[in-house]
Amino acid sequence: MIEFQNVTYAHEKGSGVNNLSLTIEDGEFSFLIGPTGSGKTTLMRLMYFDLLPDAGRVKVNGFSSKSITKRKIPIARKSIGMVFQDYKLLDDRNLFENVALPLHVLGHSAREIPERVEEALELVGLEGKDHHFSNELSGGEQQRACLARAIIKEPDILLADEPTGNLDPVASFELVRLLETIHETGTTILMASHNYNLIKGRGRPIYELKDGILRGR
C-alpha cells in the first residue's frame, strides 16, 4: 500500500506538493495526470524515498518517511520498480548488461541472472536484442528496456514517470498495454502522464495534480 498523509514538499525552485493525502491499494493500477510542473515527478520521488517530505508522512510497503534511515532506503526500494522518462540507460553497457544491473546490485548469483534477463526482455518484446547498445535502439525500445530493468527484480510496486513522454502515439499505446499486462501479475502500478487522451476510458483510477494539489480521481 502507498499512503500519503498531509504531505508537503517544496523545491527551492519550482513547485512541489502541498498538503497532499492519497491512498493507493495493493494491486491497483492508477494514473497520475497533470501538466508539466504540476508535481507528478515530486510525488513519485517521495514514493521512492528519493525525497523526504517537509511535513506529513509517506508510507510505502510498511516503510515510513518518519522513521526511515539512509541505510533502510535501499531495502525499501527493493520492492519498488522505477521507470524514468529520460531512460537512464548506461551508454557503455549493452541491453543485457543494463537490464541485469539491478540483479547484480541485489546480490543474485551469476548463474540465475541470464535466465531472468531473457524472461524480462521477452516480456517487453526485446528478445534477440541482448547485445544492442542504447544508441542502436529506438526511443520505444529504450523505454521498454527501462521497463525490463524495473521489473526484473519482481517489484510489488511499479512507478512509471511520464514513460510515454518521448514516444509517438503508437509506441505510447503499446507501452500502456504492456503495463496492463504486467499489472495482471498482481503488481501495483502508478503511471504519470500529461496526455489525458492516452489514459481516459481505461476504467482505471485517475488522480489529477495541479500546482501541487491533488484534485481527486
Side-chain angles (χ1 to χ4, degrees):
M1 178 185 288
I2 301 170
E3 186 176 5
F4 279 56
Q5 301 171 349
N6 304 109
V7 172
T8 294
Y9 182 88
H11 294 282
E12 290 185 11
K13 296 181 179 179
S15 62
V17 296
N18 184 31
N19 196 31
L20 190 150
S21 294
L22 166 70
T23 300
I24 297 177
E25 301 290 345
D26 290 340
E28 185 175 303
F29 185 163
S30 49
F31 293 105
L32 180 65
I33 195 80
T36 300
S38 60
K40 300 188 300 298
T41 296
T42 299
L43 186 74
M44 290 198 164
R45 290 179 67 190
L46 287 163
M47 292 177 180
Y48 198 58
F49 297 110
D50 191 34
L51 299 174
L52 296 177
D54 298 325
R57 183 195 306 266
V58 177
K59 296 178 70 175
V60 181
N61 278 354
F63 290 91
S64 170
S65 61
K66 289 285 190 182
S67 57
I68 199 165
T69 61
K70 287 185 177 180
R71 184 177 59 84
K72 289 183 178 180
I73 288 175
I75 300 172
R77 288 177 178 171
K78 286 183 179 180
S79 64
I80 307 171
M82 187 78 182
V83 181
F84 303 92
Q85 180 181 357
D86 57 352
Y87 311 142
K88 297 191 183 300
L89 295 173
L90 300 176
D91 294 334
D92 61 342
R93 303 191 187 196
N94 63 28
L95 177 57
F96 181 96
E97 292 165 334
N98 266 285
V99 174
L101 185 60
L103 297 185
H104 288 294
V105 171
L106 292 173
H108 287 261
S109 69
R111 183 178 300 176
E112 68 174 303
I113 288 175
E115 183 177 356
R116 293 276 296 271
V117 173
E118 291 301 327
E119 288 176 352
L121 292 179
E122 183 177 354
L123 179 60
V124 302
L126 290 176
E127 61 272 25
K129 294 184 179 290
D130 310 43
H131 300 295
H132 287 60
F133 287 83
S134 59
N135 63 356
E136 299 173 310
L137 301 173
S138 69
E141 289 173 333
Q142 290 185 59
Q143 193 57 281
R144 282 185 279 146
C146 293
L147 186 54
R149 185 181 57 191
I151 64 174
I152 196 167
K153 59 182 181 178
E154 300 178 346
D156 298 326
I157 297 169
L158 182 62
L159 306 175
D161 186 10
E162 294 273 9
T164 63
N166 297 322
L167 305 182
D168 61 52
V170 172
S172 296
F173 178 80
E174 290 176 348
L175 188 73
V176 175
R177 289 286 297 154
L178 182 55
L179 288 173
E180 289 177 332
T181 299
I182 294 168
H183 172 251
E184 291 172 3
T185 67
T187 307
T188 303
I189 297 178
L190 178 65
M191 173 184 153
S193 178
H194 62 265
N195 185 353
Y196 180 72
N197 289 329
L198 177 65
I199 65 176
K200 69 179 181 180
R202 295 183 177 273
R204 309 287 185 187
I206 298 176
Y207 303 96
E208 183 181 1
L209 264 179
K210 187 174 182 181
D211 297 327
I213 298 173
L214 196 67
R215 299 292 184 180
R217 57 189 295 178

